[in-house]
Amino acid sequence: MSGTVITFYSYKGGVGRSFTLANTAVLLARWGYRVLAIDWDLEAPGLHLYFHPHLSRMPESGVVDLAHEFVQKAAAPAAHTVRVDVEGGVLDLMAAGKVVGHKLDASYTYRLQEIDWEDLYDEGFAEFLEERREEWIAQYDFVLIDSRTGVSDVARICTAQLPDRLVVVFTANDQNLNDVVDIAHLADQARDRLPYDRPRHQVMPVLSRLDNRMEYQRAEEWQQKCAGVVAPLFRNWLVKGVTSEQMLRHLTVPYISYWSFGELLPVMVENPPSSDQISFALETVAAVIAQEFDRTDLLADNRDAYVAAARSRRRKFDLDLLVSSPRTLWRTSTELITELRLLGVKVDRSVSGDPEILDQTGDPAEHLCLVIDGALSRWQLTEAERFARRALGPDGAQRQMFCLVTRGTNRELLPGFLRNLRHFEFEPAVRPVPVARELHDLIRATPAPQAEPDHEALRDAEAALRELPEQLPYAGRFALVEETVRGMASAFDDGDMDLLRDRSADLLLLNRPHRNGTGVTVPPQLRTEVSALLARIERRINAFTD
């Protein structure tokens, strides 16, 4: 699948165009997309300054050198890119030219002035750019171009020939509003004259630097005025039923004085952002780009789900299912996880009350299972609400949330969004084998295979070994545990599954902690023996599963 070229354009300077592009590029790269950012604002370049602290090396060439290569009829033009260090993705920068320190080198201005763009086009530069464009979209998912302002030859290259879509950044004043729609029409007219098959532009207007904190009433008036002016830009991509005013509110980047100093990347700092932070709005802009300007009805209805879907679209989830349970149901959740793993489900535990779970910016699992005994814990509620906001998965697939409740739980006391879900009942004292099979069937949409009797014994042994606590009530119990574990190992070696099952039941009894919570730490040697036997049993289980 080829990539998409998007030009960030502004009729006037100083509106935050480069700032918006740089932060959008970082977000897309962190979400797993391959991104190329090109500084084509050759008269006033500066995109490299945003990425300067994160560059693998200083750019030694750039767009100007690309033009000179055409003049010199280079057989194989260079890439002219440098890697930006962004966790989780690929982000390359093509600067305007060679950078020394924080500035373009001394020869840059002279080399730029040597270029006559009209002459270049007369000599076939358009075809040369088409070849470069094909290379870029083959290598990257998104090519983001920082364009020259105003109306110029360079601006026409960036707005007419190269892009598939436009992002027009403007501020709330008449100098910007008077021309923001006309520029898009001029770009369409210019590309109609090109000998290349380009559809009409889809244009995303971004209202930038709106101060809605101090001057709320005036900000509201101008936002409504701006929505009316730019409404024509939404006509060929906004879903029917979503108004231009609704959409522009999502595409408004607020003015935050802290970020107005220097060239900064707030998306590197505000992670995850709250709704009053500038990165929140930048995430929305990046999500619309990632979603190819599509599914805007979801954005209007559930912004967090829209952004989450864009964030996860390029990757597969690490896990099929996350099991969330209070610590009082540790044993039940352990048994459920064990059963699901034996059925081939990639599953892990999410312990309610662990703040790190809620701080994660990504989602490790596609689906969530809540294990509930009587009432939902406060931490589980927070986790469930967070999941519900992100319930739309990659490519529109619906992620599922399941409730595993103890018999007798009053489901009417559950939050409304959980009462309507499918509930599975369980008895804490009974191994949740049937529930695991039902979950498997729903997640995989295929019936679970029947387990062999030996397989059941191995699962019991695995669960018992995993439940060995960090502490035992008194030192004398270590000898009993050690004897039982060695008995399990002997039964395993002899293939005596009945004896293995009996020894596993003994170990579960010995694993019970002291009621007052005190105890003696399990010796490392015993822990090593348990780990070794557990590894052997898991290998045998995997052999069954395979």
Side-chain angles (χ1 to χ4, degrees), residues 111-123:
R111 288 170 61 76
L112 176 61
Q113 291 173 345
E114 283 187 316
I115 300 173
D116 186 316
W117 297 100
E118 188 173 345
D119 286 349
L120 288 185
Y121 267 77
D122 289 341
E123 296 171 13

Side-chain angles (χ1 to χ4, degrees), residues 334-342 431 459 462-463:
T334 298
E335 292 175 341
L336 178 64
I337 289 170
T338 299
E339 296 295 336
L340 287 166
R341 284 176 177 168
L342 292 170
R431 197 173 184 88
R459 289 187 299 192
E462 182 195 33

Side-chain angles (χ1 to χ4, degrees), residues 271-290:
N271 187 24
S274 59
S275 59
D276 62 341
Q277 291 181 310
I278 197 167
S279 295
F280 190 85
L282 293 166
E283 276 192 341
T284 308
V285 172
V288 174
I289 290 174

Side-chain angles (χ1 to χ4, degrees), residues 319-378:
L319 300 170
D320 298 316
L321 182 70
L322 206 62
V323 175
S324 174
S325 71
R327 295 184 184 276
T328 54
L329 292 175
W330 183 276
R331 175 173 177 172
T332 298
S333 60
T334 298
E335 292 175 341
L336 178 64
I337 289 170
T338 299
E339 296 295 336
L340 287 166
R341 284 176 177 168
L342 292 170
L343 295 172
V345 177
K346 292 183 290 186
V347 57
D348 210 339
R349 181 193 308 277
S350 169
V351 182
S352 295
D354 185 353
E356 292 185 3
I357 295 295
L358 303 180
D359 289 340
Q360 292 176 352
T361 58
D363 293 308
E366 186 171 6
H367 308 295
L368 175 67
C369 178
L370 301 168
V371 183
I372 304 169
D373 183 13
L376 198 69
S377 73
R378 178 172 60 87

